[in-house]
């Protein structure tokens, strides 16, 4: 497996692969890799001749400097995991390599990027679009793989790809969960064992809400999820939104759309750690 740290070495490597007729899959990550990332890489390895994994902790998508500071950094372990799942190349550039000048571009795709995470983390999706558009430009992949855990991120990136007229396929991949149901996330390593146990109530409640929703309105279901999770000591819901699965606009009636998803963000523990998850009511 190649470890590349400059844009020019990445381009040179990929030009040679493409000249040999090979297809390229890209798995963008911020490192601190886990089984969720491994599943994206395996899928890319199956579907492409060459898989490039970017490992870059992108500062422009963090609106909270403390969140960026405590984000786990584990490049050596990440490379070992990637070698094990068959990636051909890792692209791990420095911040100066990616942003020799501050990136002043703005991306705006409301409502996908203005609601939920967009409202609570101003500038977050602008930063995501900045880095992902750069990665798409460096790699020019045939396919790019994103975890559905970041459900909103995929909706925003789809809008960006359409807006920029990019020729690539976005491949959403299912959420990988711990045995308790907790969605795997790099942030889970920041939880204590006790917090990890408590955090399992998030997905358990989302699952139970499917049954509750069958006999209750959208608003009753939304409030029931919030109340049930807030009743768990150590958990506090930041928002729970029930939205159209494509536009991400709020829905008020269950028959308003053919694709309805509930998206949640919960603070867990005393630090606290921010955890996100979602569930499909209709698909
Ligand atoms: O999902 C992530 O890990 C990041 O938002 C991404 C897509 C790698 C961009 O930094």
């Amino acid at each position: 497996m190649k470890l590349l740290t400059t844009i020019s070495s990445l381009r040179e490597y990929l030009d040679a692969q493409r000249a040999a007729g090979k297809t390229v899959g890209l798995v963008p990550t911020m490192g601190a890799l886990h089984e969720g990332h491994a599943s994206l890489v395996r899928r890319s390895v199956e579907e492409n001749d060459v898989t490039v994994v970017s490992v870059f902790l992108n500062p422009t998508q963090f609106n909270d400097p403390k969140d960026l500071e405590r984000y786990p950094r584990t490049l050596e372990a990440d490379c070992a995991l990637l070698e094990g799942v068959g990636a051909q190349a890792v692209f791990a550039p420095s911040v100066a390599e990616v942003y020799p000048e501050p990136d002043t571009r703005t991306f705006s795709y409301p409502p996908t990027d203005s609601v939920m995470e967009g409202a609570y983390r101003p500038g977050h999706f602008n930063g995501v679009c900045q880095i992902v558009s750069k990665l798409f430009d460096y790699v020019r992949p045939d396919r790019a793989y994103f975890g559905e855990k970041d459900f909103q991120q995929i909706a925003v990136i789809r809008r960006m790809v359409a807006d920029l007229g990019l020729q690539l396929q976005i491949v959403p991949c299912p959420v990988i969960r711990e045995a308790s149901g907790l969605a795997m996330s790099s942030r889970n390593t920041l939880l204590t064992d006790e917090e990890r146990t408590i955090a399992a109530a998030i997905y358990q409640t989302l699952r139970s809400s499917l049954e509750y929703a069958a006999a209750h309105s959208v608003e009753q279901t939304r409030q029931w999820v919030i109340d049930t999770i807030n009743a768990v000591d150590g958990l506090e819901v930041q928002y729970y939104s029930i939205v159209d699965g494509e536009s991400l606009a709020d829905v008020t009636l269950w028959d308003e759309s053919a694709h309805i998803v509930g998206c949640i963000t919960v603070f867990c523990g005393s630090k606290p750690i921010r955890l996100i998850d979602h569930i499909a009511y209709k698909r």
Side-chain angles (χ1 to χ4, degrees):
M1 187 178 72
K2 279 193 173 306
L3 175 59
L4 306 163
T5 57
T6 62
I7 300 160
S8 58
S9 63
L10 175 71
R11 286 198 203 276
E12 199 182 318
Y13 168 70
L14 289 173
D15 284 350
Q17 302 302 316
R18 267 187 292 264
K22 298 195 172 163
T23 57
V24 177
L26 169 67
V27 183
T29 82
M30 297 201 297
L33 304 184
H34 49 69
E35 186 47 37
H37 297 107
S39 72
L40 306 184
V41 178
R42 282 194 204 98
R43 172 99 181 255
S44 174
V45 168
E46 261 170 46
E47 297 180 351
N48 302 279
D49 300 316
V50 173
T51 291
V52 180
V53 181
S54 60
V55 175
F56 179 67
L57 191 49
N58 175 41
T60 71
Q61 71 188 75
F62 284 82
N63 59 317
D64 175 359
K66 270 197 266 144
D67 190 22
L68 173 60
E69 199 181 300
R70 73 180 169 203
Y71 203 90
R73 292 155 168 87
T74 57
L75 185 59
E76 214 174 298
D78 292 346
C79 288
L81 179 145
L82 294 174
E83 183 115 53
V85 289
Q88 278 75 22
V90 178
F91 177 54
S94 65
V95 172
E97 178 73 9
V98 174
Y99 297 111
E101 299 290 336
D103 194 336
T104 55
R105 294 173 302 156
T106 56
F107 298 82
S108 176
Y109 304 115
T112 57
D113 63 348
S114 56
V115 297
M116 302 191 289
E117 291 301 282
Y120 286 95
R121 302 180 66 190
H124 168 66
F125 287 119
N126 197 58
V128 169
C129 288
Q130 287 176 339
I131 185 59
V132 172
S133 61
K134 277 178 182 271
L135 291 170
F136 286 173
D137 178 49
Y138 305 155
V139 176
R140 303 200 174 275
D142 297 282
R143 299 178 191 84
Y145 296 78
F146 294 90
E148 279 185 332
K149 178 180 159 285
D150 296 303
F151 183 78
Q152 186 173 4
Q153 174 170 271
I154 295 181
V156 174
I157 290 172
R158 281 191 193 286
R159 289 277 306 272
M160 183 191 77
V161 166
D163 178 36
L164 302 180
L166 302 178
Q167 289 290 316
L168 79 153
Q169 191 190 337
I170 299 296
V171 185
C173 301
V175 181
I176 304 295
R177 299 184 179 278
E178 298 186 0
S180 68
L182 177 65
M184 285 197 186
S185 161
S186 305
R187 287 192 170 82
N188 292 358
T189 59
L190 303 172
L191 298 170
T192 63
D193 288 348
E194 197 196 342
E195 287 164 351
R196 236 183 160 98
T197 309
I198 294 167
I202 301 168
Y203 188 59
Q204 282 159 13
T205 305
L206 292 180
R207 296 268 317 164
S208 305
S209 78
L210 295 180
E211 205 178 311
Y212 186 91
H216 295 86
S217 69
V218 171
E219 181 50 24
Q220 285 168 331
T221 304
R222 197 185 73 80
Q223 201 53 54
W224 182 82
V225 167
I226 294 174
D227 294 344
T228 307
I229 293 179
N230 282 344
V232 178
D233 208 19
L235 296 183
E236 193 192 333
V237 176
Q238 186 173 41
Y239 66 81
Y240 186 49
S241 299
I242 299 181
V243 300
D244 175 89
E246 270 83 50
S247 73
L248 307 191
D250 280 338
V251 298
T252 49
L253 298 170
W254 291 122
D255 58 9
E256 204 174 305
S257 163
H259 186 191
I260 297 185
V261 178
C263 298
I264 197 157
T265 291
V266 179
F267 291 113
C268 179
S270 53
K271 285 192 263 315
I273 303 303
R274 213 170 163 271
L275 301 172
I276 66 172
D277 207 342
H278 70 277
I279 194 145
Y281 291 99
K282 281 171 83 179
R283 179 184 344 231

